[in-house]
Amino acid sequence: MQWRALVLGLVLLRLGLHGVLWLVFGLGPSMGFYQRFPLSFGFQRLRAPAGPAPPALGPARRPGTPGGPSGPSWLQAPGPGAGAGAGGRGRRGRPGPAVCGPAHWGYVLGSRGRGPDEYERRYSGAFPPQLRAQMRDLARGMFVFGYDNYMAHAFPQDELNPIHCRGRGPDRGDPSNLNINDVLGNYSLTLVDALDTLAIMGNSSEFQKAVKLVINTVSFDKDSTVQVFEATIRVLGSLLSAHRIITDSKQPFGDMTIKDYDNELLHMAHDLAVRLLPAFENTKTGIPYPRVNLKTGVPPDSNNETCTAGAGSLLVEFGILSRLLGDSTFEWVARRAVKALWNLRSNDTGLLGNVVNIQTGRWVGKQSGLGAGLDSFYEYLLKSYILFGEKEDLEMFNAAYRSIQNYLRRGREACNEGEGDPPLYVNVNMFSGQLMNTWIDSLQAFFPGLQVLIGDVEDAICLHAFYYAIWKRYGALPERYNWQLQAPDVLFYPLRPELVESTYLLYQATKNPFYLHVGMDILQSLEKYTKVKCGYATLHHVIDKSKEDRMESFFLSETCKYLYLLFDEENPVHKSGTKYMFTTEGHIVSVDKHLRESPWKEFFSEEGGQDPEGKSVHGPKSPEIKVINSSSNCNRVPDERRYSLPLKSIYMRQIDQMVGLI
């Protein structure tokens, strides 16, 4: 009997120890949001392609500190001396890129007890070719269903109402309905926006038919007041992309040529851009008005306030147009707006706000983040450099990225190891760097894709995992998510593409099948929750899955396109000798030396230069704008040297190699 009692005692002791470990290390009931025991369930680690490590673009990051204040490290402001040059700790060595997968985000997924087997089985295995082909065809079918229903029930109006199977145009009865009127200009928006998606999917007959329809039926001589930014990225960008596809001598997508094509799309792009130019007139800063009437110019009662992204994300489309036409006007006004905004950044942090007065240069919105109001400003600093090769664009991006890493990035330094919470980018006051709120918005999900372009793949993997975890919980991405409350703040999902875009780019960078599984999850969620009688509808509420009767044009131009490309390994985008880049609206642009030829380079120079005969010349200068809102040195023009990172030749060379120009 004694040996039986001894065995029973040992068994009970072992069960007790397992129970304690199960509770302490978070494998049982949640211990709350502030639990500080990050665990890895043995995920297969994602590795970036072999090659030189990405350059160190930012200063040291301050990981979570054991024994510090309670609560997530995201709530803690970066401590003094976070930068190596400020007398604090230097940046310690970082591990190689590694997955920060769903196991790290159990508190969001609500799945602590699942254990390693399910995730290992689902995400770390191979993705069979047959399944990839099935998902590719599903993505194509999604586009076709939305496009065909738009053409059948909505064309020539701007958008499709997919629930009631009818078209939608500008809200003439309520001019203040900016949610509609900023986007819809009575110019067949969805058809125009979808042109290059038709080409990428190899549908030459429908592409040719659609181009002819646009040429024959679309006019910009309309009494429509539209947002300059939306008209530029959705309409101007698509016209330029389709024009380049038609005139490409290589024709990688099949025969997309148009018989007797006489550059009509380029002429239409020129006409639209000319109608947008009044937005840049009569502003004391050079920052454009947010809206124009396509027939009459800037409305008399126009708002003098605009967001940074809206005013500073025009350079790619305007620059392409200028270089195709040989007319510097469009690039110059867009570049002047970027420089004006850049000169208004804070002296103390190097950050920009999200809303500015175009007449006074005063910041109306002092929030600095990566989402709405700022997102594509950062995106276009880098993409403008990739397209045009202007080093000042890269210098601005480097400086902006350093400030972002200094003041917006919170959490531990490395994704898979160290104390503190996983990395997250928060919203802060542009002047102090102090946390302004505890939410992030869905537009920020573009940022991992941008980090892929600069080689910061580890951070991209971590940030993408956070957004994917939210998607897993709701089957969609709420417009705003409160990371402190672990709940949506704004509950709708308008079929946005940003998470899909980053998923696609991360797969291209890592070739890890995990991202194919992510894409499949997103596809299945869209089919399950958003498909309706005549298309795909906006989710009004990501929890109860109620819907709104609207299918925005970016669903066809971006969401479907990135999903299709994710699974279409043999697509010419991936196989041809031509290198491509995507605009912020997902329009494809071939990157070549022609776009890097700028006969008016000196014309843009603030400092002037010399003509071929050696005579001094001076281009028009951007207005001198003083930083009038900084928390210190209020009337001093910022010292450029404080925020400009030294140009790293290896970094520039990596980008040039990426686009195949050297």
Side-chain angles (χ1 to χ4, degrees), residues 10-25:
L10 290 173
V11 169
L12 291 175
L13 178 62
R14 183 173 182 178
L15 289 174
L17 287 173
H18 274 287
V20 170
L21 291 173
W22 188 67
L23 288 171
V24 169
F25 288 99

Side-chain angles (χ1 to χ4, degrees), residues 88-235:
R89 292 179 296 170
R91 184 184 183 90
R92 64 180 176 83
R94 293 174 61 177
V99 69
C100 186
H104 286 280
W105 302 101
Y107 59 88
V108 175
L109 294 171
S111 56
R112 286 192 183 278
R114 292 185 178 180
D117 292 341
E118 177 181 343
Y119 287 121
E120 288 278 4
R121 184 168 57 250
R122 181 157 193 190
Y123 293 116
S124 297
F127 203 89
Q130 298 87 347
L131 183 58
R132 183 198 292 265
Q134 181 183 346
M135 292 300 104
R136 179 200 62 206
D137 293 343
L138 181 59
R140 187 206 303 269
M142 181 179 290
F143 171 83
V144 170
F145 185 67
Y147 177 83
D148 285 351
N149 275 287
Y150 166 78
M151 295 303 296
H153 301 291
F155 177 80
Q157 292 183 274
D158 287 310
E159 283 182 353
L160 170 68
N161 287 354
I163 297 176
H164 289 97
C165 304
R166 60 188 181 213
R168 178 200 295 266
D171 188 352
R172 302 297 191 190
D174 182 10
S176 66
N177 185 1
L178 300 180
N179 184 45
I180 299 297
N181 293 329
D182 270 358
V183 177
L184 309 189
N186 194 21
Y187 39 38
S188 303
L189 173 64
T190 296
L191 175 63
V192 175
D193 213 2
L195 289 178
D196 65 312
T197 308
L198 289 166
I200 285 172
M201 292 186 177
N203 193 341
S204 58
S205 60
E206 190 61 36
F207 174 79
Q208 292 163 347
K209 177 183 175 182
V211 168
K212 291 175 183 176
L213 265 178
V214 169
I215 293 172
N216 294 328
T217 66
V218 174
S219 169
F220 301 121
D221 189 22
K222 305 283 188 181
D223 183 19
S224 298
T225 298
V226 296
Q227 191 185 85
V228 175
F229 170 72
E230 295 288 2
T232 297
I233 66 169
R234 299 200 196 202
V235 182

Side-chain angles (χ1 to χ4, degrees), residues 422-548:
L424 182 69
Y425 291 81
V426 300
N427 300 316
V428 303
N429 182 290
M430 63 172 289
F431 297 118
S432 66
Q434 296 300 308
L435 190 71
M436 287 193 70
N437 50 58
T438 58
W439 53 259
I440 42 84
D441 63 63
S442 64
L443 289 172
Q444 185 185 321
F446 92 98
F447 198 67
L450 188 66
Q451 291 181 306
V452 168
L453 294 184
I454 62 173
D456 201 353
V457 178
E458 181 188 353
D459 249 20
I461 289 170
C462 289
L463 187 58
H464 173 274
F466 176 75
Y467 280 96
Y468 176 52
I470 300 172
W471 183 285
K472 286 286 291 180
R473 168 177 273 195
Y474 302 108
L477 204 57
E479 193 71 351
R480 283 186 184 175
Y481 183 83
N482 191 307
W483 45 260
Q484 185 179 35
L485 300 178
Q486 302 177 57
D489 275 350
V490 179
L491 287 152
F492 70 89
Y493 168 65
L495 308 173
R496 289 200 188 277
E498 284 75 18
L499 178 61
V500 186
E501 176 186 6
S502 290
T503 302
Y504 164 67
L505 291 171
L506 271 165
Y507 177 69
Q508 292 302 311
T510 65
K511 294 299 181 183
N512 192 288
F514 170 76
Y515 295 105
L516 299 177
H517 288 283
V518 173
M520 183 169 67
D521 273 350
I522 293 173
L523 261 173
Q524 292 172 339
S525 295
L526 291 171
E527 282 289 309
K528 181 178 181 180
Y529 299 125
T530 71
K531 190 173 185 178
V532 292
K533 182 179 179 181
C534 292
Y536 295 83
T538 292
L539 285 183
H540 175 73
H541 196 294
V542 297
I543 298 175
D544 67 23
K545 303 301 186 293
S546 57
K547 299 172 181 64
E548 295 180 14

Side-chain angles (χ1 to χ4, degrees), residues 342-343 345 347 350 395 399 402 636-646:
W342 184 248
N343 287 337
R345 69 198 188 281
N347 286 332
E395 290 173 332
R402 178 169 185 162
R636 185 171 64 83
V637 177
D639 180 359
E640 300 286 341
R641 292 171 296 180
R642 291 184 61 193
Y643 306 117
S644 295
L645 287 177

